[in-house]
Amino acid sequence: MAGRDVRRLAARASTVTHEAKMDCVARIAAGADAMGVDEIFIVREPFRIAERALEWMRLNAKVTLLDVELTHDLSDTARAIEAFRDHGVDHVAALGGDGTHRVIAKTAPDLYLVPLSTGTNNVFSLTVEATIAGEVVALGAKRQLPQDRLCRRAKVAKLTIDSHVQDIGLIDVVRIEDDFVGNYRPFDPVKLREMVLTRAEPDAIGMSPIGGLMEPVSADDDCGLYVKFGKGHTRRVPVSPGYFRDVHISQTSKLPFECRCELESAGLIAIDGDRLHRIESGQRVSVEINRNGPHVYDIAASMRFAAEHGLSAHLK
């Protein structure tokens, strides 16, 4: 369902069709097959995207289709990842935006992941050719890439409510007011109160550029950024694709790893674009940044390593 919500109407986000996703899956499989993997796992989902993509492909690898219980919500993604792990899979190429990959990271934080961009906000996701993604994930699964050199664990923002860890964000944890859980419309800046970013990037879409236009923080920086909204600085920001709004920012400050940032207990918490948790008055809410997310491959560096070491496609 990534790339298909109301933000296609409320903003100018692109629609990623099932056919386009099928093409991506086919190219991932072609790349992985060319690198000589023995088995490719896919999961059955409501639109049979992966299943239909590989149905008539001539692959040397065996294709194994896994069935999971479907409830047509975010938990389907979690069950798919759990099914892969039950079969010994530790390398995954996934299609989606930041929200989809957040569920993957929460379900399997030790996973080796190639996250491909097919969502609305794609700060965490990679915009790379799916064929090459398939090659890299295959070489990684075959243990032919030095993971210590070519992978880095992603940063996550750990959300805690009343001393219990509730959730994680890959990019942003935002406190908003006068909103409701499940709303998929673009954020109204007047409802933003404060947020924690793992990455504050001025060339991104969504919440990340709000911080990035004030005090940039990259994926490689071992810190996050706290942002408080209010009178002070005004920035015009693309809070959704093609959808600019003036955002008022009163304060930003770098947030070191493992440093607990206390948020006020009012409104609700949105994570990576999804409004998820309502906060009652008096609850204790905190966020801290660490580098305990999935291992993400550097695609370009991985392919350079493959070229330098003769790890070319297999001839069969």
Side-chain angles (χ1 to χ4, degrees):
M1 292 303 297
R4 298 179 63 84
D5 61 46
V6 72
R7 284 167 287 191
R8 274 83 215 148
L9 300 175
R12 293 180 174 86
S14 299
T15 298
V16 183
T17 66
H18 299 323
E19 289 73 20
K21 292 176 184 177
M22 286 173 60
D23 289 342
C24 284
V25 172
R27 297 201 301 272
I28 293 167
D33 193 56
M35 289 297 166
V37 297
D38 296 317
E39 192 169 10
I40 297 170
F41 289 85
I42 60 175
V43 66
R44 179 175 279 126
E45 33 68 38
F47 302 102
R48 299 179 56 240
I49 293 170
E51 186 180 354
R52 288 191 292 153
L54 306 188
E55 193 171 15
W56 303 108
M57 285 187 70
R58 294 184 176 180
L59 298 171
N60 293 298
K62 175 186 176 184
V63 176
T64 297
L65 175 64
L66 303 178
D67 279 300
V68 298
E69 178 188 356
L70 297 175
T71 55
H72 308 283
D73 58 24
L74 293 174
S75 65
D76 289 349
T77 299
R79 280 188 292 276
I81 294 299
E82 289 166 353
F84 288 147
R85 295 190 73 187
D86 288 345
H87 285 78
V89 174
D90 61 1
H91 279 67
V92 171
L95 308 184
D98 296 338
T100 302
H101 290 110
R102 178 192 69 82
V103 177
I104 294 172
K106 182 180 178 182
T107 306
D110 293 328
L111 199 67
Y112 289 85
L113 182 64
V114 177
L116 296 181
S117 168
T118 63
T120 304
N121 294 346
N122 299 288
V123 182
F124 178 79
S125 313
L126 305 176
T127 304
V128 298
E129 166 53 43
T131 311
I132 309 305
E135 292 184 81
V136 170
V137 77
L139 291 170
K142 293 175 66 180
R143 305 300 190 264
Q144 292 182 308
L145 298 177
Q147 294 166 340
D148 58 335
R149 289 169 50 190
L150 300 177
C151 278
R152 190 163 195 193
R153 296 203 75 162
K155 291 189 282 187
V156 296
K158 183 176 73 172
L159 170 69
T160 305
I161 301 175
D162 285 344
S163 301
H164 302 290
V165 176
Q166 297 289 317
D167 221 330
I168 64 163
L170 286 172
I171 303 299
D172 55 73
V173 175
V174 187
R175 187 175 69 84
I176 56 181
E177 293 183 355
D178 300 320
D179 211 323
F180 59 92
V181 171
N183 182 8
Y184 279 101
R185 293 181 63 83
F187 291 109
D188 182 348
V190 303
K191 299 179 179 180
L192 301 174
R193 296 295 179 263
E194 54 187 332
M195 71 176 172
V196 173
L197 296 167
T198 65
R199 292 159 62 170
E201 299 178 337
D203 57 333
I205 294 290
M207 297 295 99
S208 184
I210 294 175
L213 291 169
M214 294 289 296
E215 195 170 357
V217 173
S218 76
D220 293 330
D221 292 331
D222 289 336
C223 64
L225 187 72
Y226 170 78
V227 178
K228 188 173 182 62
F229 297 94
K231 293 181 179 180
H233 306 275
T234 299
R235 297 288 185 270
R236 176 151 286 194
V237 180
V239 295
S240 198
Y243 186 81
F244 283 81
R245 288 294 180 268
D246 288 339
V247 180
H248 305 292
I249 304 153
S250 67
Q251 175 192 346
T252 63
S253 56
K254 294 283 180 66
L255 188 63
F257 276 4
E258 309 297 344
C259 178
R260 180 171 294 182
C261 177
E262 301 283 345
L263 304 184
E264 294 183 25
S265 57
L268 58 85
I269 298 294
I271 306 178
D272 294 337
D274 295 327
R275 296 146 168 102
L276 295 172
H277 303 285
R278 178 157 295 285
I279 304 301
E280 303 298 335
S281 177
Q283 288 189 295
R284 294 193 62 184
V285 183
S286 66
V287 183
E288 60 185 76
I289 307 292
N290 58 48
R291 199 175 286 283
N292 293 333
H295 305 264
V296 180
Y297 279 98
D298 182 326
I299 301 297
S302 296
M303 290 306 296
R304 284 196 298 271
F305 179 90
E308 291 165 0
H309 292 81
L311 304 177
S312 58
H314 284 222
L315 298 176
K316 300 218 176 172

